């Protein structure tokens, strides 16, 4: 008969690996949010003034996104 020894691994991030994993997830989330904003700004910059007016924006609003 085989015996398996298991250890409790905290899921709330109390261990070093959990904290490291949480930091990595946060870093990925920050980079993803930055990239989404960058892509949105690039798409809005390609629109004409008329198209921007249709969605209620002006050129000055693009940099604040």
């Amino acid at each position: 008969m085989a015996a398996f020894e298991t250890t409790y691994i905290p899921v709330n991030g109390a261990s070093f690996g959990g904290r490291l994993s949480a930091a990595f997830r946060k870093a990925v989330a920050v980079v993803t949010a930055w990239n989404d904003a960058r892509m949105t700004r690039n798409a809005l910059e390609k629109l004409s003034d008329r198209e921007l007016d249709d969605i209620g924006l002006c050129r000055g609003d693009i940099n604040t996104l």
Side-chain angles (χ1 to χ4, degrees):
M1 177 181 197
F4 293 98
E5 187 174 324
T6 59
T7 57
Y8 173 71
I9 299 173
V11 266
N12 62 358
S15 69
F16 174 73
R19 290 189 309 267
L20 186 62
S21 176
F24 181 73
R25 283 193 308 270
K26 182 164 176 69
V28 169
V30 167
V31 170
T32 301
W34 167 82
N35 192 48
D36 289 345
R38 181 188 66 84
M39 290 175 57
T40 300
R41 283 191 304 270
N42 287 342
L44 288 173
E45 287 173 357
K46 293 177 183 178
L47 296 178
S48 69
D49 289 336
R50 166 88 173 154
E51 292 168 324
L52 287 172
D53 189 42
D54 285 344
I55 59 174
L57 295 175
C58 65
R59 294 260 170 228
D61 295 335
I62 293 175
N63 292 331
T64 61
L65 298 176

